[in-house]
Amino acid sequence: MSSQRILTGYRPTGKLHLGHWFGNLQNMLDLQNKYDAFYFLADWHALTSDWADTSKIRTYTEEMVLDWCAAGLDPDICTIYRQSDVPEVAELTLYFAMVTPMSWLERVPTYKEQRDQITDKDLGNVGFFEYPMLMAADIAILRSGLIPVGEDQLPHLELTREIVRRFNNAYPAEPPVLVEPKAVIATEGARVPGLDGRKMSKSYGNSIFISDDAETICKKAMTCLTDPARMLKTDPGNPDICPLHQIHKLILSKEDCFQWEEDCRTAKCGCVAHKKAFGSEMAEYYAPFREKRAELEKQPGFAAEVLANGARKARPIAIDTISACREAMLLDPFGA
Ligand code: ADP
Ligand code: TRP
């Protein structure tokens, strides 16, 4: 196992879906055995969009810990913590606010995209605007070099690198105070489509959740978009642009995948039959997860204990980084 530190975070704004599972969680499972892995629940990030109704953030945080652990993250191997338990993140965000030009934040594509797509929440607040800067602070505070994320997060990673570079240039030290991170992207599933063909996202109402019961998974499968040009069962389809097949593919063996593609292109199999097979195979795929999840639910205080232990490991690193930042910025020690 390498001593190199890796880090990633999820916003506790809802349940885990297949996009998380294939886009990122599989990478996180693998990497926990290879690196010193830090995984956190970004509850302040949830606040940037859900500030008007904070009632669910804590529940989602606890549920996500259970989901993560049921999926196979092992709190004895990796560190699982909550962002707000490491307040040094807020201090570093403040310092980043000094070195980050507003234009850098204005041009982050996810900002405009989410302002356009999410219309049921007031996202005109400063906190949402500076979301990527808060993310940069999450990464920099633990000085982690590798960041496993889905493809949608790449612009945020690029911005983080720019902010870190600007900070290190403004406040030089040897070695530089902050580390420039690199993204680790899943080879398959870097962008899992949702039931409607857009990116699967809990904000878009197009998700299959991994905690959905078998019946719900099968029902949702029947609503999934397929190749829109294929009107009749006798029309040949194109699996490359079929969202159903793009998701199904993630659990298929190479041979089965090839067979489904053949049957679609030659109109041997219709979309309804494909949806049925997809639903029942997905439901079966998640059966062991549901069992483990039910077991963890029976252990009172499990999530709280995991987070308390995680904070004990993350905080000293954050304190060390923030001290180095203050020193480089000539803010500390007082009177020196
Ligand atoms: P959401 O978009 O549902 O709110 P998050 O922002 O909490 O999800 O995402 C947490 C992690 O999961 C990020 O690394 C993100 O890139 C990844 N992820 C989320 N949705 C998908 C998807 N549809 N495909 C691939 N990766 C995804
Ligand atoms: N921005 C990420 C998302 O929307 C969540 C996140 C917050 C994150 N801070 C992070 C991911 C730091 C990786 C590293 O999913």
Side-chain angles (χ1 to χ4, degrees), residues 117 187 251 253:
Q117 302 265 356
T187 25
I251 56 164
S253 66

mmCIF file of all heavy atoms in Angstrom, residues 117 187 251 253:
data_model
loop_
_atom_site.group_PDB
_atom_site.id
_atom_site.type_symbol
_atom_site.label_atom_id
_atom_site.label_comp_id
_atom_site.label_asym_id
_atom_site.label_seq_id
_atom_site.Cartn_x
_atom_site.Cartn_y
_atom_site.Cartn_z
ATOM 1 N N GLN A 117 -30.421 24.120 -14.988
ATOM 2 C CA GLN A 117 -31.157 22.849 -14.853
ATOM 3 C C GLN A 117 -31.977 22.761 -13.564
ATOM 4 O O GLN A 117 -33.021 22.139 -13.534
ATOM 5 C CB GLN A 117 -30.169 21.663 -14.885
ATOM 6 C CG GLN A 117 -29.333 21.592 -16.137
ATOM 7 C CD GLN A 117 -29.936 20.663 -17.176
ATOM 8 O OE1 GLN A 117 -30.928 20.016 -16.941
ATOM 9 N NE2 GLN A 117 -29.324 20.623 -18.355
ATOM 10 N N THR A 187 -12.556 3.992 -15.611
ATOM 11 C CA THR A 187 -12.380 3.677 -17.025
ATOM 12 C C THR A 187 -13.736 3.474 -17.703
ATOM 13 O O THR A 187 -13.949 3.899 -18.819
ATOM 14 C CB THR A 187 -11.514 2.408 -17.222
ATOM 15 O OG1 THR A 187 -11.642 1.628 -16.047
ATOM 16 C CG2 THR A 187 -10.091 2.730 -17.505
ATOM 17 N N ILE A 251 -22.951 -3.889 -16.106
ATOM 18 C CA ILE A 251 -22.948 -5.142 -15.331
ATOM 19 C C ILE A 251 -22.883 -6.373 -16.235
ATOM 20 O O ILE A 251 -23.001 -7.501 -15.755
ATOM 21 C CB ILE A 251 -24.188 -5.259 -14.404
ATOM 22 C CG1 ILE A 251 -25.496 -5.129 -15.187
ATOM 23 C CG2 ILE A 251 -24.138 -4.250 -13.274
ATOM 24 C CD1 ILE A 251 -26.705 -5.629 -14.400
ATOM 25 N N SER A 253 -21.174 -9.120 -18.935
ATOM 26 C CA SER A 253 -19.885 -9.667 -19.376
ATOM 27 C C SER A 253 -19.695 -9.214 -20.832
ATOM 28 O O SER A 253 -20.666 -8.832 -21.494
ATOM 29 C CB SER A 253 -19.916 -11.198 -19.316
ATOM 30 O OG SER A 253 -20.843 -11.679 -20.277
#
